[in-house]
């Protein structure tokens, strides 16, 4: 029977998605946004020194060279702390390499429970819940909360992280209202315009990682009380670094008790891996029972939980790590300023160097690596708006004065050679 359909041709045809991928990737390359990974192996005893693998001549043994990394999010170097590493090794020997499944299927390790209790205590909350990453903790928690009751309105800071946006967008049936970045007047106007009886949630960050600015947590919490909203605070780039015990900006400012839900990561200030939320016992229990991103994902391996637990305890007890990091940040800024190297002054530990062009940003980053053995991540769209491309530097406790002088000298030369002359602090001007 003839159907008029040439199934042979259809079976042999190339699916249009392949063409779409080719065209999209070519467009990304034209915009200078194509991302290439740099093969870097961290050398734990010599952090922040890494080893870059150099492609070998055929038949020869691969070679490497030393590279000093300036863009790690392991802000305190806890990922190479011997006590943290030994905790992971001991847990592997006792419990094995993996978790064996989700916590519902394979059981909950005592290390998971101890780590959750430690994190809850860090933030002054009743309970905590571990996720496999900070991205998942944001996405799963926000989506689950915002689909829990009808009529939710989420007030989201315009500069919120992609993981928060994913969770908010995934909450079908809820309404999203975006307020201008760190603009409390705009937030209040939008809260005031919302229905009084609608359940409301304000989602925001403490430290915004690309611009390095800090939110007014107390001011946002005051608005939340005034308009009957809950607060969801992402402290990912602040935990470990701010507050007497590393509880983040909310701890530093004495307002952690005013925030309903505090989300954080174990992969940055604590140097290991995983994400978490802390909140009241009933909120944590609800998310534990309802968040698909928690229920259906294999849990963190016991070795990771053990390492993170050791790290959190050390960071809470040893304030010298935070003090040393901020001393290094301030010293680096002083040397940059003295040399006339442009940078964006921020209220946090992050030191962005503005470039303003995607292709040029990648080129300067590549030249730093090739000519000086220095690695500084180029930050391009969509991570930052077009025209605001920059290098993002994060000085840490183990960056020496010599390392700083090397980076300052390299930046001054390369920015000048690439047509950017030193300008006023916070600017890079075309020559």
């Amino acid at each position: 029977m003839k159907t008029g359909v040439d199934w042979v041709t259809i079976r042999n045809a190339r699916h249009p998605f392949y063409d779409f991928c080719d065209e999209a990737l070519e467009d990304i390359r034209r915009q200078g946004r194509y991302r290439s990974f740099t093969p870097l192996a961290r050398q734990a005893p010599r952090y922040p020194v890494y080893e870059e693998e150099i492609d070998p001549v055929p038949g020869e043994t691969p070679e490497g060279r030393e590279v000093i990394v300036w863009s790690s999010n392991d802000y305190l170097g806890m990922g190479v702390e011997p006590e943290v590493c030994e905790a992971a090794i001991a847990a592997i020997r006792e419990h094995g390499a993996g978790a064996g499944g989700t916590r519902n299927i394979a059981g909950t390790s005592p290390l998971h429970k101890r780590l959750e209790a430690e994190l809850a205590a860090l933030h002054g909350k009743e309970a905590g819940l571990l996720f496999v990453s900070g991205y998942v903790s944001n996405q799963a928690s926000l989506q689950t909360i915002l689909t829990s009751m009808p009529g939710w309105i989420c007030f989201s800071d315009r500069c919120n992280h992609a993981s928060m946006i994913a969770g908010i967008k995934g909450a079908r049936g809820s309404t999203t209202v975006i307020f201008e970045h760190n603009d409390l007047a705009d937030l209040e106007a939008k809260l005031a315009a919302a229905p009084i009886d609608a359940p409301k949630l304000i989602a925001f960050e403490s430290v915004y990682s690309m611009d390095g600015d800090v939110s007014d947590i107390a001011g946002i919490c005051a608005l939340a009380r005034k308009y009957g909203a809950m607060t969801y605070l992402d402290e990912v780039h602040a935990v470990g670094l701010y507050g007497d015990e590393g509880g983040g900006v909310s701890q530093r400012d004495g307002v952690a008790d005013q925030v309903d839900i505090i989300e954080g990561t174990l992969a940055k200030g604590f140097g290991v891996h995983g994400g978490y939320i802390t909140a009241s016992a009933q909120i944590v229990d609800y998310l534990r029972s309802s968040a698909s991103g928690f229920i259906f994902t294999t849990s963190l391996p016991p070795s990771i939980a053990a390492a993170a637990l050791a790290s959190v305890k050390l960071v809470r007890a040893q304030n010298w790590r935070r003090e040393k990091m901020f001393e290094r940040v301030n010293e680096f800024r002083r040397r940059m300023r003295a040399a006339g190297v442009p940078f964006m002054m921020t209220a946090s530990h992050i030191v962005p160097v503005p470039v303003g062009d995607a292709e040029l940003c990648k080129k300067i980053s590549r030249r730093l690596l090739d000519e000086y053995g220095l690695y500084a991540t180029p930050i391009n769209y969509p991570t930052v708006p077009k025209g605001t491309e920059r290098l993002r530097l994060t000085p840490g406790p183990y960056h020496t004065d010599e390392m700083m002088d090397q980076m300052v000298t390299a930046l001054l030369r390369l920015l000048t050679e690439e047509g950017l002359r030193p300008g006023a602090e916070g600017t890079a001007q075309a020559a």
Side-chain angles (χ1 to χ4, degrees):
M1 182 177 68
K2 293 184 178 180
T3 63
V5 177
D6 187 349
W7 290 109
V8 174
T9 301
I10 290 174
R11 282 196 298 270
N12 293 334
R14 174 182 165 101
H15 194 283
F17 183 62
Y18 291 95
D19 294 327
F20 173 84
C21 289
D22 288 340
E23 293 170 7
L25 289 168
E26 182 57 35
D27 185 53
I28 290 171
R29 290 187 181 94
R30 280 196 301 268
Q31 296 178 42
R33 297 193 293 113
Y34 186 76
R35 300 180 185 218
S36 299
F37 295 143
T38 303
L40 295 172
R42 180 157 62 172
Q43 305 300 298
R46 298 186 295 151
Y47 185 75
V49 175
Y50 286 57
E51 187 172 281
E52 180 193 19
E53 183 177 307
I54 306 298
D55 290 336
V57 175
E60 294 186 4
T61 304
E63 296 182 357
R65 65 162 181 161
E66 287 189 355
V67 171
I68 299 170
V69 169
W70 280 87
S71 297
S72 173
N73 283 339
D74 186 356
Y75 297 126
L76 299 176
M78 295 305 296
V80 299
E81 171 64 38
E83 194 169 330
V84 172
C85 296
E86 287 303 318
I89 293 168
I92 286 178
R93 288 188 178 128
E94 182 176 357
H95 305 291
T102 69
R103 287 169 70 175
N104 293 313
I105 291 174
T108 288
S109 166
L111 290 165
H112 292 139
K113 294 177 66 175
R114 287 165 57 194
L115 178 54
E116 287 171 339
E118 189 74 22
L119 292 166
L122 171 67
H123 294 292
K125 300 299 181 188
E126 292 178 345
L129 187 65
L130 290 171
F131 293 82
V132 293
S133 73
Y135 190 104
V136 173
S137 58
N138 269 335
Q139 182 182 36
S141 297
L142 285 166
Q143 182 172 325
T144 303
I145 292 167
L146 294 173
T147 53
S148 62
M149 302 187 302
W152 271 107
I153 303 175
C154 180
F155 298 83
S156 175
D157 187 289
R158 184 172 293 281
C159 290
N160 275 343
H161 189 264
S163 58
M164 301 177 76
I165 295 169
I168 294 166
K169 282 186 174 181
R172 295 179 180 178
S174 67
T175 300
T176 303
V177 176
I178 298 172
F179 64 93
E180 295 305 317
H181 178 51
N182 277 347
D183 188 334
L184 268 63
D186 186 54
L187 173 59
E188 179 164 21
K190 288 170 176 172
L191 284 165
I196 294 175
D197 58 349
K200 305 175 187 68
L201 177 73
I202 304 172
F204 64 109
E205 301 181 41
S206 58
V207 175
Y208 289 84
S209 62
M210 292 301 114
D211 289 331
D213 51 347
V214 178
S215 63
D216 180 354
I217 301 174
I220 291 176
C221 287
L223 289 177
R225 290 192 299 273
K226 182 176 179 180
Y227 292 96
M230 287 181 59
T231 46
Y232 182 102
L233 173 63
D234 177 317
E235 287 261 37
V236 160
H237 288 274
V239 289
L241 312 183
Y242 299 82
D244 292 339
E245 295 183 335
V249 177
S250 59
Q251 185 183 77
R252 182 197 70 180
D253 295 351
V255 294
D257 61 325
Q258 299 177 33
V259 181
D260 291 291
I261 302 166
I262 295 177
E263 184 267 350
T265 183
L266 300 165
K268 295 180 172 60
F270 297 125
V272 188
H273 186 73
Y276 65 89
I277 59 104
T278 62
S280 67
Q282 65 264 47
I283 288 177
V284 169
D285 201 17
Y286 175 74
L287 292 174
R288 182 188 66 83
S289 303
S290 306
S292 60
F294 170 81
I295 296 170
F296 298 106
T297 304
T298 297
S299 61
L300 290 175
S303 58
I304 298 299
L309 179 61
S311 180
V312 174
K313 286 184 174 182
L314 285 173
V315 168
R316 291 185 72 186
Q318 298 176 349
N319 199 45
W320 68 264
R321 299 175 190 278
R322 288 179 284 281
E323 293 174 348
K324 182 64 174 177
M325 185 200 72
F326 281 107
E327 183 277 326
R328 293 285 79 193
V329 170
N330 291 330
E331 178 60 22
F332 184 60
R333 285 174 174 153
R334 187 192 71 77
R335 290 171 187 249
M336 295 267 280
R337 188 179 294 112
V341 177
F343 66 94
M344 297 164 60
M345 187 62 192
T346 74
S348 69
H349 56 285
I350 296 164
V351 184
V353 175
V355 176
D357 176 84
E359 199 62 50
L360 184 56
C361 195
K362 286 176 60 178
K363 183 179 181 182
I364 292 173
S365 174
R366 190 71 234 179
R367 289 190 65 187
L368 281 169
L369 182 63
D370 291 343
E371 299 172 30
Y372 291 92
L374 303 174
Y375 182 70
T377 306
I379 306 295
N380 295 332
Y381 176 84
T383 308
V384 295
K386 292 179 181 179
T388 69
E389 293 83 1
R390 79 284 304 266
L391 302 174
R392 178 181 178 273
L393 307 182
T394 54
Y398 301 108
H399 284 100
T400 65
D401 288 351
E402 182 181 4
M403 291 175 182
M404 291 182 181
D405 286 339
Q406 186 182 12
M407 175 57 86
V408 169
T409 299
L411 282 172
L412 186 61
R413 176 189 157 222
L414 295 182
L415 290 173
T416 302
E417 290 183 358
E418 294 297 341
L420 297 173
R421 69 174 186 270
E425 181 180 302
T427 64
Q429 302 172 348

